[in-house]
């Protein structure tokens, strides 16, 4: 079965995938506010969570599934509005879902996954893989690490209340076209060995990992297309061209060297690309 999938970048790691008349969202976060992360290189733990409903309504329409890669604010902070608005099925770890329950997201929409699942949805499949969040600094620490299993925590108020809560990678397949998300430097090489996506969404590498770009390209079979993600300064407006905070453009040279046959597809804010067909 041949399919066509159109992907649109909503900044950060937020993607809209459309194929077979269905819509899948990955980490749909479009409310942008100052946290100190991108300018001061230090996070203000007490930065208040907020949701810009007008921005969400402008950029996010209908959705059938939402895939959460981890619980940080720049991935899930808009979900208390996006989930009820779309009625989508939301996949995430127990902790991610507890953080959403604490913000009154209806429990019946929440599908707990841990890696290893392969689900059939109407028009596409989603396979889930265990992953890890990038570790930072010489001591290899994870920002706002921690789990909230077992029970629903107090309502999150600040960015540090949205703990990482475990990380997941996803392979989304529409007919012949498959898209792999979770290409951080901290991917689990042995988990994803044999995955053969059409499109690899790749984050910029961290020095805490040996040859991460080369290894993920090899583990995923040198995909035909590589799309950089999560490289923009997410404290700058989504409606302006992306400010290259983490080296998304430079990633093209490393991909070209490690996988000359792969096409590097760099999208700007709100731009789309179509694969397959
Ligand atoms: Zn992030």
């Amino acid at each position: 079965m041949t399919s066509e999938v159109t992907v649109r970048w909503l900044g950060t790691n937020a993607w809209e995938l459309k194929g077979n008349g269905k819509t899948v969202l990955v980490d749909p976060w479009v409310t942008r506010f100052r946290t100190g992360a991108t300018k001061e290189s230090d996070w203000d733990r007490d930065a208040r969570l907020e949701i810009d409903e007008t921005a969400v309504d402008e950029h996010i329409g209908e959705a059938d599934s939402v895939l959460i890669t981890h619980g940080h604010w720049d991935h899930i902070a808009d979900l208390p509005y996006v989930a009820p608005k779309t009625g989508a099925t939301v996949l995430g770890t127990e902790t991610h879902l507890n953080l959403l329950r604490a913000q009154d997201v209806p429990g019946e929409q929440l599908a707990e996954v841990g890696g290893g699942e392969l689900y059939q949805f109407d028009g596409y499949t989603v396979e889930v893989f265990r992953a890890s969040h990038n570790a930072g600094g010489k001591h290899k620490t994870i920002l706002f690490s921690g789990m909230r299993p077992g029970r629903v925590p107090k309502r999150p108020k600040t960015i540090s209340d949205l703990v990482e809560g475990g990380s997941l990678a996803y392979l989304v397949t529409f007919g012949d076209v498959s898209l792999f998300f979770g290409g951080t430097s901290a991917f689990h090489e042995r988990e994803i060995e044999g995955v053969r996506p059409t499109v690899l969404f790749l984050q910029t590498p961290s020095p805490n990992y040996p040859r991460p770009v080369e290894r993920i390209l090899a583990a995923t079979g040198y995909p035909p297309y590589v799309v950089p993600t999560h490289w923009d300064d997410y404290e700058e407006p989504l409606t302006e061209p992306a400010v290259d905070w983490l080296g998304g453009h430079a990633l093209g040279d490393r991909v070209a060297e490690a996988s000359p046959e792969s096409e590097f597809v760099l999208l700007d804010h709100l731009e789309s690309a179509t694969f397959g067909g």
Side-chain angles (χ1 to χ4, degrees):
M1 180 174 62
T2 304
S3 282
E4 210 172 73
V5 182
T6 298
V7 308
R8 188 164 67 106
W9 190 35
L10 304 176
T12 320
N13 199 44
W15 291 91
E16 177 195 75
L17 322 178
K18 281 189 178 289
N20 291 335
K22 301 293 173 183
T23 304
V24 177
L25 301 174
V26 177
D27 291 343
W29 182 67
V30 297
T31 296
R32 294 171 162 230
F33 51 83
R34 203 206 68 82
T35 63
T38 67
K39 306 295 193 303
E40 295 90 357
S41 292
D42 198 10
W43 285 264
D44 173 5
R45 301 180 58 86
D46 299 323
R48 307 286 293 182
L49 294 171
E50 55 188 78
I51 297 176
D52 182 345
E53 296 185 359
T54 306
V56 173
D57 287 340
E58 186 180 344
H59 301 298
I60 295 176
E62 58 195 7
D64 299 285
S65 297
V66 173
L67 312 179
I68 298 174
T69 66
H70 64 279
H72 285 158
W73 82 94
D74 56 321
H75 299 253
I76 73 165
D78 282 347
L79 280 179
Y81 183 65
V82 171
K85 165 188 151 88
T86 60
T89 302
V90 181
L91 275 65
T93 67
E94 181 185 2
T95 295
H96 307 155
L97 303 188
N98 278 343
L99 292 168
L100 298 181
R101 288 185 185 99
Q103 298 170 91
D104 304 322
V105 173
E108 68 263 20
Q109 285 179 243
L110 304 178
E112 184 181 323
V113 291
E117 296 85 358
L118 171 59
Y119 286 144
Q120 179 73 58
F121 290 91
D122 184 13
Y124 56 95
T125 64
V126 175
E127 188 171 1
V128 191
F129 301 84
R130 292 191 298 173
S132 292
H133 191 275
N134 260 355
K138 78 168 183 171
H139 296 303
K140 306 192 181 352
T141 54
I142 291 177
L143 179 72
F144 309 150
S145 63
M147 299 294 230
R148 301 285 183 270
R151 66 187 175 83
V152 176
K154 278 194 320 205
R155 188 182 186 90
K157 294 246 185 319
T158 66
I159 61 168
S160 54
D161 290 336
L162 292 181
V163 294
E164 183 252 348
S167 286
L168 298 166
Y170 296 93
L171 183 71
V172 187
T173 304
F174 297 83
D176 292 340
V177 180
S178 58
L179 310 105
F180 185 71
F181 295 87
T184 73
S185 304
F187 65 96
H188 290 193
E189 200 160 7
R190 295 176 208 282
E191 294 278 333
I192 64 167
E193 194 67 56
V195 168
R196 292 293 176 268
T198 315
V199 189
L200 168 66
F201 290 79
L202 182 64
Q203 296 188 25
T204 50
S206 154
N208 273 329
Y209 301 85
R211 304 172 60 252
V213 174
E214 292 77 4
R215 285 190 302 107
I216 196 167
L217 287 163
T220 53
Y222 303 102
Y225 302 98
V226 177
V227 178
T229 182
H230 210 334
W231 51 269
D232 59 321
D233 181 336
Y234 50 68
E235 297 181 4
E236 294 291 333
L238 180 60
T239 47
E240 308 266 326
V243 174
D244 193 349
W245 177 42
L246 294 172
H249 291 77
L251 199 51
D253 294 336
R254 286 186 72 168
V255 171
E257 200 173 313
S259 182
E261 302 292 308
S262 298
E263 187 179 331
F264 187 71
V265 181
L266 186 127
L267 297 178
D268 206 331
H269 281 163
L270 306 173
E271 279 186 347
S272 302
T274 299
F275 300 99

